[in-house]
């Protein structure tokens, strides 16, 4: 086929109708376009791999970020509510989280800081309070060459202006306290040429690889809007750098494409399932669970959807990823993020009056104060951290002034009285400059305030899991309380050094924090018992799948983590390309651009012949014309564990880990006469299985039920269940179970009829194939008494003879139970 490089025009949303064939193939599919995904897309496309990037959000060209109140109200991510915006806000038990949705990932809203992880903060086997340890299988020396490479690509440069008030104040306060302070490298363009003087609003020259948005950029205008998106293109975000370079080398960048699942392919590689969010539906409530699913196959799959996104996808699809490490979900950290406020600063050039800090002048962060760690030596104690200035846009200053209600009311009253005096008094002064100035106020509150952002080495002992299909994080400040108190103490000292007051983020009043740097969940480790992936991001037990984002970090970076994530991904790409070269020496050049799936990758999974549903009955032999069906709904609840084959062991392990499974099934006998006459008593089952361990709520695609079948043991019976499912990644599963109806010692009829022993098998397995199928997990579910009472109300019949159908079913059920338990009951009533 002809190799065609995608055009250099701006990326467009994937088409909703038509679009790519379901049988697409790419060498690499990258999920997400943040610091890991963008680096991977560029490096692998540069080497000639065909790369497809699937980004759920939309592009944000210069002047594309929301500013008006109406646009800001829609600037959040929740497609089911018609929101396709930039900010994805999460709320968990112990913290809040804010991440980004858009082409360029977190770079669109980060504060540009490119600090390296401190050399001595790459800890090894550092114990954690609840057991286990934090261990980094890589060190500073491993990342330094890649730090260099990323800094060059992102144009890292210290803030150049010497007299910005907040920058001067941070350095003065640090000096007074004897703390180390620097102007960290930031990914912002201040000059129109390398090494030139900083000039606000000057044109930014286009690099050799072009710009995917096709719009001009200008240098930093010092407006403090970095965290809400730079409308001038002054931030060297990933869309302007790595993604533009990736597109130049042939990468296919697809926006509004949200990945739902993935599955290994027979013979190697992966299939990725995704949906496309229709831009025409933005602003409208949408049933996103009903969107058409598209598929693309690939040799390598790179997960780079961020800590929340990648971990969520792995949790949702783990049933189809045999051998996935039990470390999945562990080592969560908020990177020690803590927000504080300096209020009412005084001194400086203003003497003892309000000190001008002007938080909205400059980029968001211009300075970083480092506080030592016990690992540093030299007398430092505790866990180290950074405190940085955190500016904000001008409109936040207006909001802050408006919130000063007493002063605003007083000024309004004074203005009104002055106008009344002027109107009805002897003075007819017509010039209002002084009065309007007094009405607006001095702005001293916002001018003398400065947010502070702390981050550092908190304890990475959080655990991520699914609850009712939703992501949950079990994390608390308590295990890191000494760290947080130390950060707060330093912030208070900085506020006092500036002659001001310290104020906590109001969330801290309830011992909650908000993080913009979530890390962990799929940590790297030296082996599967320690991590989900190795030091190059390849997932243990799943060849060709890589985790290249913040979820792979096994603990806090301490500094702003973006540079470390990008360097880690760059190092991983070196390894991937070296592996590929070693395997393909002398091979033909790879294709560029997505292509139809090669025949070798298109071998479908063998699908077993489905078990036939009970056939329509012949005319009833009881003399009545037509047939009558009977159905009832059954709900059972219990536990599941993956990696075990014994149901009892699965229940014990699942209960210890709180891994629950339940199903709700409607059982139907389509012809009661035939159902009773057939010794297998076959029926069908429809409904769903709900289990977070399997990825959430899974509809039953095909289900079969046998009420009573003869057991190999004399006098015994079994109730059989066979449910064919499919996890979010498209992996076929079969839940096969049985209830043992046996007359053991004691009155056990309730236990026997309400307890199902089950296993979950890989594939859609027909009867007779259970012994050769791979067992993914096992457990036990039971009918609770209250659910059984409800079940009795769900019996329904359809057909000409409802009463007779209920009678015949009841006789069968009670008769079979009597056949099993009756002899024992009769013996107990015989006289001695």
């Amino acid at each position: 086929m002809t190799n065609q490089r995608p055009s250099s025009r701006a990326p467009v949303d994937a088409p909703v109708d038509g679009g790519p064939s379901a049988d697409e193939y790419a060498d690499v599919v990258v999920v997400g376009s943040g610091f890991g995904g963008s680096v991977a897309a560029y490096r692998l496309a540069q080497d000639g791999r065909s790369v497809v990037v699937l980004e759920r959000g939309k592009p944000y060209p210069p002047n594309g970020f929301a500013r008006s109140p109406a646009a800001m109200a829609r600037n959040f991510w929740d497609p089911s509510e018609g929101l396709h915006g930039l900010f994805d806000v999460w709320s968990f038990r112990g913290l809040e989280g804010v991440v980004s949705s858009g082409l360029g990932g977190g770079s669109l809203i980060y504060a540009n800081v490119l600090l390296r992880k401190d050399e001595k903060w790459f800890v090894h086997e550092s114990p954690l309070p609840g057991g286990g340890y934090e261990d980094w299988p890589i060190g500073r020396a491993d990342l330094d060459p890649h730090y260099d490479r990323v800094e060059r690509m992102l144009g890292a440069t210290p803030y150049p202006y010497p007299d910005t008030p907040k920058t001067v104040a941070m350095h003065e306060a640090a000096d007074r306290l004897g703390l180390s302070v620097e102007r960290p490298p930031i990914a912002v363009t201040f000059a129109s040429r390398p090494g030139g003087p900083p000039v606000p609003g000057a044109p930014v020259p286009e690099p050799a690889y072009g710009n995917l948005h096709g719009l001009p950029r200008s240098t930093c205008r010092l407006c403090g809007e970095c965290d809400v998106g730079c409308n001038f293109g002054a931030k060297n975000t990933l869309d302007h750098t790595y993604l533009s370079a990736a597109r130049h080398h042939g990468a296919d960048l697809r926006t509004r494409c949200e990945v739902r699942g993935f599955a290994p392919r027979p013979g190697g590689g992966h299939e990725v399932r995704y949906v496309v969010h229709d831009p025409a539906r933005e602003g409208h409530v949408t049933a996103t669970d009903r969107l058409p699913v598209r598929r693309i196959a690939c040799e390598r799959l790179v997960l780079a959807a961020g800590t929340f996104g990648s971990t969520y996808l792995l949790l949702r699809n783990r049933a189809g990823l045999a051998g996935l490490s039990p470390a999945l979900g562990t080592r969560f950290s908020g990177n020690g993020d803590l927000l504080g406020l300096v209020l009412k600063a005084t001194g400086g050039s203003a003497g003892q009056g309000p000190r001008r800090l002007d938080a909205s002048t400059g980029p968001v962060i211009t300075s970083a104060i480092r506080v030592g760690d016990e690992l540093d030596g030299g007398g430092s104690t505790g866990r180290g951290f950074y405190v940085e200035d955190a500016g904000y846009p001008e409109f936040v200053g207006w909001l802050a002034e408006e919130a000063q209600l007493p002063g605003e009311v007083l000024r309004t009253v004074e203005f009104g009285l002055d106008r009344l005096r002027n109107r009805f008094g002897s003075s007819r002064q017509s010039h209002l400059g002084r009065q309007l100035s007094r009405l607006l106020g001095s702005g001293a509150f916002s001018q003398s305030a400065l947010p502070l952002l702390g981050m550092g080495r908190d304890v990475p002992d959080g655990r991520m899991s699914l609850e009712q299909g939703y992501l949950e994080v079990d994390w608390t400040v308590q295990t890191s309380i000494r760290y947080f108190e130390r950060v707060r103490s330093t912030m208070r000292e900085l506020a006092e050094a500036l002659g001001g007051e310290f104020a906590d983020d109001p969330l801290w009043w309830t011992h909650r924090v908000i993080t913009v740097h979530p890390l962990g969940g799929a940590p790297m480790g030296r082996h599967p018992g320690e991590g989900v992936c190795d030091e190059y991001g390849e997932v243990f037990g799943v060849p060709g799948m890589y985790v290249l984002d913040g979820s792979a970090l096994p603990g806090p970076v301490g500094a702003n983590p973006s540079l470390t994530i990008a360097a880690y991904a760059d190092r991983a790409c070196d390894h991937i390309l070296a592996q590929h070269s070693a395997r393909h020496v002398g091979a033909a050049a790879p294709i560029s651009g997505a292509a139809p799936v090669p025949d070798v990758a298109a071998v479908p999974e063998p699908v077993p012949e489905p078990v036939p549903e009970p056939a329509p009955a012949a005319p009833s032999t009881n003399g009545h014309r037509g047939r009558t069906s009977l159905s009832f709904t059954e709900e059972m609840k219990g536990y599941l564990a993956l990696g075990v084959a014994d149901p009892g062991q699965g229940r014990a392990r699942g209960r210890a880990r709180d891994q629950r499974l339940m199903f709700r099934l409607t059982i139907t006998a389509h012809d009661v006469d035939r159902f009773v006459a057939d010794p297998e008593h076959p029926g069908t089952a429809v409904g769903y299985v709900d289990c977070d361990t399997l990825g959430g709520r899974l509809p039953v695609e095909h289900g079969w039920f046998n009420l009573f079948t003869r057991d190999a043991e004399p006098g015994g019976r079994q109730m059989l269940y066979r449910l064919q499912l499919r996890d979010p990644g498209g992996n076929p599963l079969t839940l096969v179970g049985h209830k043992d109806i046996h007359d053991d010692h004691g009155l056990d009829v309730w236990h026997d009829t309400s307890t199902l022993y089950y296993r979950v098998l890989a594939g859609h397995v027909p009867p007779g194939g259970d012994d050769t199928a791979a067992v993914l997990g096992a457990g036990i579910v039971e009918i609770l008494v209250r659910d059984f009472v409800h079940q009795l109300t769900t019996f329904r019949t359809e057909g000409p003879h409802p009463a007779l159908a209920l009678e015949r079913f009841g006789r069968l059920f009670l008769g079979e139970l009597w056949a099993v338990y009756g002899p024992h009951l009769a013996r107990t009533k015989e006289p001695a």
Side-chain angles (χ1 to χ4, degrees):
M1 63 173 290
T2 303
N3 294 334
Q4 293 183 337
R5 174 172 293 171
S7 67
S8 60
R9 62 185 175 86
V12 296
D13 300 327
V16 176
D17 296 315
S21 164
D23 292 326
E24 281 188 293
Y25 174 82
D27 294 335
V28 183
V29 169
V30 179
V31 181
S33 60
F35 284 94
S38 293
V39 170
Y42 164 61
R43 291 293 315 282
L44 300 177
Q46 183 187 38
D47 193 66
R49 308 302 101 196
S50 59
V51 176
V52 171
V53 177
L54 299 177
E55 166 56 52
R56 63 177 182 170
K58 57 190 177 184
Y60 287 91
N63 208 36
F65 294 98
R67 288 296 184 268
S68 71
M72 279 293 187
R74 299 189 300 270
N75 201 23
F76 297 94
W77 176 259
D78 188 349
S80 65
E81 296 297 323
L83 299 173
H84 296 191
L86 180 62
F87 294 99
D88 188 9
V89 184
W90 300 69
S91 182
F92 305 110
R93 290 193 183 98
L95 80 161
E96 320 295 329
V98 179
V99 293
S100 176
S101 179
L103 188 65
S107 74
L108 300 176
I109 63 171
Y110 86 137
N112 318 304
V113 176
L114 300 176
L115 282 171
R116 303 187 181 198
K117 181 176 174 67
D118 293 77
E119 182 175 1
K120 294 184 178 180
W121 294 8
F122 289 86
V123 299
H124 298 289
E125 300 190 3
S126 176
L128 299 176
Y133 48 84
E134 175 189 353
D135 188 273
W136 287 73
I138 57 176
R140 176 67 175 264
D142 296 313
L143 292 183
D144 270 337
H146 307 282
Y147 280 140
D148 292 340
R149 189 181 290 169
V150 174
E151 287 171 348
R152 287 193 297 270
M153 189 70 170
L154 294 180
T157 183
Y159 180 62
Y161 291 92
D163 55 356
T164 302
K166 66 173 184 175
T167 312
V168 173
M170 287 288 287
H171 284 252
E172 285 183 5
D175 290 342
R176 289 175 189 171
L177 298 174
L179 298 175
S180 172
V181 63
E182 65 174 310
R183 295 188 179 204
I186 54 178
V188 177
T189 299
F190 295 100
S192 58
R193 57 181 175 81
V199 179
V204 173
E206 188 170 288
Y209 49 74
N211 187 294
L212 59 83
H213 296 299
L215 293 173
R217 303 168 58 199
S218 60
T219 57
C220 181
R221 302 185 185 220
L222 312 180
C223 62
E225 296 182 357
C226 310
D227 287 350
V228 293
C230 180
N231 269 331
F232 308 107
K235 288 176 60 173
N236 301 327
T237 49
L238 297 167
D239 50 339
H240 295 307
T241 54
Y242 277 101
L243 290 170
S244 288
R247 187 174 181 84
H248 173 74
H249 288 289
D252 182 359
L253 311 180
R254 302 183 186 179
T255 54
R256 298 185 190 261
C257 294
E258 184 171 16
V259 171
R260 293 291 175 82
F262 34 77
R265 293 177 59 83
H270 306 273
E271 181 182 273
V272 181
R273 296 157 57 89
Y274 68 98
V275 298
V276 179
H277 295 295
D278 185 352
R281 296 297 302 168
E282 189 167 358
H284 302 277
V285 175
T286 303
T288 54
D289 57 336
R290 298 179 184 176
L291 293 175
V293 175
R294 303 184 179 198
R295 296 171 174 84
I296 181 170
C298 58
E299 178 185 0
R300 286 184 172 86
L301 173 59
V302 174
L303 298 182
T307 290
F308 294 149
S310 292
T311 306
Y312 175 73
L313 285 171
L314 286 167
L315 288 168
R316 287 259 292 169
N317 292 274
R318 60 180 159 177
L321 303 174
L324 196 62
S325 167
L328 178 62
T330 64
R331 301 294 178 267
F332 175 82
S333 160
N335 200 48
D337 283 3
L338 185 69
L339 183 64
L341 293 165
V342 175
L343 300 176
K344 302 178 182 178
T346 59
S349 60
Q352 292 306 308
R355 175 163 183 163
R356 180 186 167 201
L357 297 178
D358 285 352
S360 57
T361 299
V364 167
I365 294 175
T366 64
S367 304
I369 295 171
R370 184 185 185 279
V371 179
D373 189 293
E374 61 189 6
L375 300 174
D376 299 338
S380 296
T381 60
R383 290 175 170 262
F385 57 92
Y386 288 81
V387 177
E388 299 166 352
D389 55 323
Y392 49 74
E394 287 281 6
F395 69 80
V396 176
W398 282 100
L399 294 174
E401 290 296 334
E402 289 295 315
Q404 308 309 303
L405 190 58
E408 183 181 1
V409 170
L410 180 60
R411 294 194 303 271
T412 303
V413 170
E414 289 179 347
F415 181 80
L417 291 174
D418 187 79
R419 297 309 302 143
L420 288 172
R421 285 193 298 268
N422 184 267
R423 177 68 59 185
F424 300 107
S426 58
S427 173
R428 299 300 297 167
Q429 182 179 354
S430 59
H431 192 268
L432 299 180
R434 179 183 61 85
Q435 292 91 332
L436 290 172
S437 176
R438 288 175 60 85
L439 176 62
L440 291 176
S442 66
F445 178 81
S446 58
Q447 192 176 58
S448 61
L450 178 64
L452 299 175
L453 178 60
M455 65 192 75
R457 287 209 317 120
D458 63 346
V459 178
D461 60 347
R463 178 175 286 273
M464 307 175 74
S465 62
L466 296 182
E467 287 193 10
Q468 300 180 20
Y470 294 96
L471 184 66
E472 185 54 77
V473 177
D474 185 9
W475 182 89
T476 173
V477 301
Q478 294 306 316
T479 52
S480 298
I481 194 66
R482 291 183 180 177
Y483 161 81
F484 284 113
E485 291 295 355
R486 192 162 174 247
V487 176
R488 291 177 65 239
S489 176
T490 298
M491 289 181 173
R492 182 176 292 105
E493 291 173 356
L494 289 168
E496 292 170 353
L498 294 174
E501 302 172 0
F502 171 71
D504 284 306
D505 172 8
L507 281 174
W508 182 257
W509 302 342
T510 58
H511 272 200
R512 295 175 64 83
V513 298
I514 184 167
T515 181
V516 293
H517 301 130
L519 303 172
M524 67 175 101
R526 295 167 292 185
H527 51 77
E530 185 176 86
V532 172
C533 57
D534 64 19
E535 63 181 279
Y536 300 106
E538 189 165 17
V539 176
F540 290 116
V542 190
M545 179 182 288
Y546 298 83
V547 180
L548 299 183
D549 59 19
S551 65
L553 303 190
V557 173
N560 313 64
S562 303
L563 178 63
T564 296
I565 295 169
Y568 156 71
D570 190 75
R571 179 175 183 264
C573 289
D574 275 1
H575 180 72
I576 292 170
L577 294 174
Q579 281 186 320
H580 187 275
S581 297
R583 289 202 309 265
H584 293 80
V585 173
I591 62 172
S592 295
V597 181
D599 292 340
V600 69
V603 179
E605 175 189 358
V607 179
E609 288 294 322
V611 181
E613 297 187 7
S620 302
T621 57
N622 58 11
H624 299 290
R625 289 183 172 276
R627 59 177 182 168
T628 300
S629 66
L630 179 145
S631 65
F632 61 91
T633 299
E634 181 177 60
E635 189 169 298
M636 304 190 75
K637 300 170 181 174
Y639 298 91
L640 164 77
L642 298 178
V644 299
D646 177 70
Q649 184 182 1
R651 175 169 67 174
R653 188 176 297 179
R655 178 181 286 155
R657 297 175 178 175
D658 197 30
Q659 296 177 173
R660 300 173 184 268
L661 180 144
M662 66 84 66
F663 62 63
R664 184 180 178 86
L665 303 174
T666 296
I667 308 294
T668 301
H670 295 273
D671 181 343
V672 173
D673 287 347
R674 188 166 185 171
F675 179 84
V676 171
D678 190 325
E680 298 297 317
H681 310 303
T684 60
V686 298
Y688 62 84
V689 174
D690 202 337
C691 178
D692 291 328
T693 306
L694 297 179
R697 180 170 293 190
L698 311 181
V700 175
E701 296 185 1
H702 299 284
W704 299 273
F705 167 79
N706 297 88
L707 180 61
F708 288 107
T709 62
R710 301 283 177 172
D711 194 4
E713 184 176 328
R717 304 286 192 276
Q718 286 192 331
M719 298 185 192
L720 304 180
Y721 294 69
R722 184 174 298 274
L723 310 176
Q724 291 185 350
L725 317 165
R726 198 174 298 271
D727 74 5
N731 299 289
L733 310 171
T734 300
L735 187 151
V736 56
H738 66 277
K739 296 177 182 177
D740 277 324
I741 315 298
H742 287 89
D743 182 20
D744 300 320
H745 295 293
L747 190 61
D748 56 352
V749 61
W750 168 254
H751 176 270
D752 289 355
T753 56
S754 65
T755 304
L756 181 74
Y757 304 87
Y758 71 89
R759 295 183 298 162
V760 177
L761 310 178
H764 283 167
V765 183
D770 298 359
D771 292 340
T772 58
V775 179
L776 300 178
I780 297 174
V781 290
E782 298 172 309
I783 302 175
L784 304 181
V785 173
R786 65 176 180 271
D787 293 331
F788 177 71
V789 172
H790 175 71
Q791 179 177 323
L792 295 177
T793 70
T794 66
F795 279 80
R796 301 288 186 272
T797 60
E798 185 175 338
H801 306 291
L804 184 59
L806 285 168
E807 177 190 349
R808 297 205 68 194
F809 181 86
R811 284 184 177 180
L812 170 66
F813 192 89
L814 294 175
E816 292 288 348
L817 290 181
W818 180 258
V820 175
Y821 301 103
H824 174 77
L825 294 175
R827 287 193 301 272
T828 60
K829 293 183 178 180
E830 293 179 357

